[in-house]
Amino acid sequence: MDEQTYINGMLERTRIFYPDEMIDKVRNSIIAISGLGGVGAITAELFARWGVKKFRLLDKDKYDPSNLNRQLFATSKTLDRYKVDVAKDRIKEINPYAEIDLTIKDSVDNENVHPFVKGAGIVIQTADSPSCQLFYRAAKQHKVPVANGYSTLTGCRVQVYDYRRDSFWFKLEEMRDRYKRKNGKDITEMNRDELKDFDSKVMHPAMPAMNYVTNIAGAMIVCEAVKLLTDTGKVCRFPNIVDLNFYTNKLCVKNLYSPLRLETYKKIFSTNKGLDRFQELIIEKKREAGVEER
């Protein structure tokens, strides 16, 4: 089957809703995906099914058995393989005409972040290392939007940083980051060893992960990215965030800097930090969901 026939068949149902010129805006955008785990893999899968022509992929990890409960590409056959390699194969299985423009089987640093971000249509940021702040810094510099999403144990949150336009909120974020660092070295000035040390000190412990939560988060990211790239619908731009809780059946949009947001004050004034804070969060979410220790 020739390429045009193949792609036309793939997009037949999509085309009933979106006109060709809007579909082409998605297809012709370079999609740069950071993190190919529970959330990131579903974004790669769905963008491949949009017929996207070029991808960039970054993930330092290989698949292990703990990934099997939720990560779309994790199977008995992919264990101990790099996630980037597996994602590349999967994209090519769906769309053999897609090009993988760049693959990075390593953590992000100040050397590889710029070729990964520059020129991309959008960065999909789902990796969870603290050093991943570099993606946002580089995206802002190169005026590339970022779509981000993550699990909240019983739900997920998704938002878009549209760095194609200036915003007071981005300046506020920089002020917050400077305050948190105080006299510390800026992340954009750290070498690989310093970034590794930074991650080891700041990285949160492993959290519970439900497969329906992570996969829906990935699907929601793709939705926000498609709306942004096609200029359709209402994009949830930072500082707003889409917050979905499966166990309370609530979906809402929150402003992360709202003075009425109690969660912000809890983070600022809580005396319970580190591992204890995460254990407290797990207990709180279990109670909310009606999950009791037996």
Side-chain angles (χ1 to χ4, degrees), residues 55-200:
F55 289 85
R56 295 173 185 171
L57 307 173
L58 183 150
D59 197 306
K60 62 182 175 61
D61 293 330
K62 296 180 180 180
Y63 282 110
D64 65 56
S66 71
N67 304 142
L68 290 167
N69 81 315
R70 68 197 182 282
Q71 298 191 14
L72 189 65
F73 303 152
T75 70
S76 60
K77 295 181 179 179
T78 63
L79 293 179
D80 206 37
R81 289 188 62 196
Y82 278 104
K83 294 180 181 182
V84 163
D85 292 337
V86 175
K88 178 179 178 180
D89 290 347
R90 178 62 176 172
I91 290 168
K92 298 289 283 186
E93 284 178 4
I94 296 167
N95 179 11
Y97 304 101
E99 178 184 343
I100 313 302
D101 189 50
L102 176 66
T103 58
I104 300 176
K105 290 180 273 192
D106 204 348
S107 55
V108 66
D109 60 32
N110 281 296
E111 296 297 323
N112 59 32
V113 69
H114 292 286
F116 185 78
V117 170
K118 186 177 181 181
I122 191 167
V123 173
I124 308 299
Q125 206 311 91
T126 70
D128 53 9
S129 298
S131 57
C132 289
Q133 294 174 26
L134 287 173
F135 290 113
Y136 301 92
R137 298 294 197 89
K140 184 180 179 184
Q141 178 180 335
H142 298 297
K143 297 188 180 301
V144 174
V146 177
N148 163 267
Y150 55 91
S151 165
T152 59
L153 279 70
T154 55
C156 55
R157 289 177 172 177
V158 173
Q159 66 188 143
V160 170
Y161 294 78
D162 193 355
Y163 292 119
R164 300 173 304 178
R165 56 179 75 174
D166 291 328
S167 170
F168 161 77
W169 298 109
F170 300 147
K171 294 180 176 63
L172 186 61
E173 278 277 281
E174 289 179 4
M175 291 170 60
R176 186 204 66 173
D177 289 344
R178 280 198 296 269
Y179 173 77
K180 288 171 67 176
R181 289 192 307 271
K182 295 182 179 176
N183 296 323
K185 194 172 187 179
D186 191 89
I187 192 172
T188 58
E189 300 171 351
M190 294 182 185
N191 59 36
R192 286 191 63 84
D193 289 338
E194 290 169 329
L195 287 169
K196 185 176 180 180
D197 183 60
F198 174 68
D199 281 343
S200 67

